[in-house]
């Protein structure tokens, strides 16, 4: 079965500093990796995905993520944090060998990102 | 292009009642999935529909059911509500089914269900 781990429940960063939200995964075959963001009382918004190709993926709102196959990681990064980046971030994994349903796309527990002015 | 819409946005029900939630996917999307989100359990997959067929179901009791119509709109129903059913119910649509998925899902704003 595939799985996602987001080891930090909360990450605190000062505005203007770089931020990293960590994600590691386990899956059969080559992974498809996603990051979503959720603002209070809203649904999840797609940020970026890695399917194949360049290990550094650029997404919405200045976010990027680095795929590291040897470390089975897909950390979310941003060079300079904004207060408006404060939200709940979810990492998700799938692969071409995934089944359907919950095994098709597995989400991590989420990481609260708090950007302090 | 309009996003995923869910109605109603907020709902308060009493234990033992039943409830129906509605989801309209992005135009052209034929896969609709439902998730339950709670602070303790996080995002939990309920079921997925594609072309009016339920393809997969998560580990939820039979009180939770759903269906999809020919226009890809979907409804989920919860019968005999329990206090523990209080949650944010999210609907997500995608171009393709979740099997071997590489397409991203697009989520609606959710329906906040409170059971008293």
């Amino acid at each position: 079965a595939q799985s996602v781990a987001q080891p930090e429940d909360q990450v605190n960063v000062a505005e203007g500093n770089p931020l990293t939200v960590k994600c590691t995964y386990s899956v059969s075959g080559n992974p498809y990796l996603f990051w979503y963001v959720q603002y209070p009382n809203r649904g999840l918004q797609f940020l970026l995905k890695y399917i194949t190709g360049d290990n550094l993926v650029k997404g919405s709102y200045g976010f990027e993520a680095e795929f590291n196959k040897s470390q089975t990681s897909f950390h979310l990064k941003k060079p300079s944090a904004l207060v408006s980046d404060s939200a709940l971030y979810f990492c998700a994994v799938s692969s071409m060998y995934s089944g359907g349903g919950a095994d098709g796309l597995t989400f991590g527990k989420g990481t609260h990102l708090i950007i302090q002015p | 292009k309009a996003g995923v819409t869910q109605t109603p946005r907020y709902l308060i029900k009493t234990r033992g009642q039943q409830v129906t939630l509605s989801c309209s996917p992005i135009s052209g999307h034929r896969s609709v999935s439902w998730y339950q989100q709670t602070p303790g359990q996080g995002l939990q997959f309920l079921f997925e529909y594609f072309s009016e067929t339920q393809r997969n179901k998560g580990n939820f009791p039979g009180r939770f059911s759903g269906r999809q119509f020919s226009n890809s709109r979907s409804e989920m129903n919860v019968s005999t509500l329990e206090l523990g059913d209080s949650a944010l119910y999210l609907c997500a649509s995608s171009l393709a089914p979740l099997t071997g998925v590489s397409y991203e899902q697009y989520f609606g704003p959710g329906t906040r269900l409170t059971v008293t």
Side-chain angles (χ1 to χ4, degrees):
Chain A
Q2 60 197 32
S3 64
V4 176
Q6 292 182 242
E8 301 153 319
D9 289 336
Q10 183 169 305
V11 171
N12 295 285
V13 178
E15 187 176 27
N17 283 0
L19 69 87
T20 298
V21 183
K22 296 179 181 177
C23 170
T24 59
Y25 66 89
S26 173
V27 71
S28 298
N30 292 323
Y32 302 145
L33 294 155
F34 305 82
W35 276 102
Y36 290 84
V37 60
Q38 185 178 32
Y39 297 98
N41 298 314
R42 302 275 295 277
L44 277 68
Q45 295 178 33
F46 169 73
L47 271 180
L48 51 79
K49 69 178 179 182
Y50 171 85
I51 304 300
T52 187
D54 195 348
N55 289 344
L56 185 64
V57 179
K58 294 190 184 296
S60 305
Y61 312 121
F63 284 93
E64 58 190 27
E66 186 168 12
F67 170 64
N68 187 316
K69 188 172 184 177
S70 63
Q71 296 185 4
T72 62
S73 67
F74 188 57
H75 300 331
L76 181 69
K77 301 182 179 185
K78 187 173 182 181
S80 179
L82 300 172
V83 172
S84 57
D85 293 330
S86 298
L88 181 59
Y89 289 80
F90 290 93
C91 180
V93 69
S94 179
S95 85
M96 64 179 295
Y97 299 109
S98 297
D103 290 333
L105 183 62
T106 302
F107 286 86
K109 291 289 188 183
T111 298
H112 287 276
L113 176 63
I114 298 175
I115 310 300
Q116 294 151 334
Chain B
K1 186 184 273 191
V4 178
T5 58
Q6 291 187 245
T7 56
R9 291 293 311 277
Y10 302 91
L11 207 49
I12 299 175
K13 290 287 188 178
T14 305
R15 269 183 305 174
Q17 288 185 313
Q18 75 161 13
V19 67
T20 299
L21 312 181
S22 181
C23 170
S24 293
I26 290 173
S27 177
H29 286 193
R30 293 163 62 195
S31 169
V32 174
S33 299
W34 288 89
Y35 296 85
Q36 182 195 66
Q37 186 179 21
T38 59
Q41 299 298 318
L43 272 170
Q44 293 187 281
F45 172 80
L46 279 157
F47 27 66
E48 180 208 359
Y49 287 87
F50 184 80
S51 295
E52 301 179 65
T53 301
Q54 185 181 89
R55 291 177 55 87
N56 298 286
K57 193 177 193 310
N59 190 24
F60 278 82
R63 301 185 295 107
F64 292 81
S65 63
R67 58 178 175 169
Q68 187 180 34
F69 302 95
S70 59
N71 61 358
S72 294
R73 190 177 70 84
S74 176
E75 289 181 347
M76 69 163 281
N77 184 277
V78 187
S79 62
T80 320
L81 284 165
E82 301 177 359
L83 293 178
D85 297 333
S86 294
L88 181 66
Y89 289 88
L90 294 167
C91 164
S93 76
S94 178
L95 281 170
L98 292 183
T99 303
V101 63
S102 63
Y103 290 104
E104 56 271 26
Q105 290 190 299
Y106 290 87
F107 285 78
T111 295
R112 173 75 62 185
L113 173 65
T114 302
V115 182
T116 62

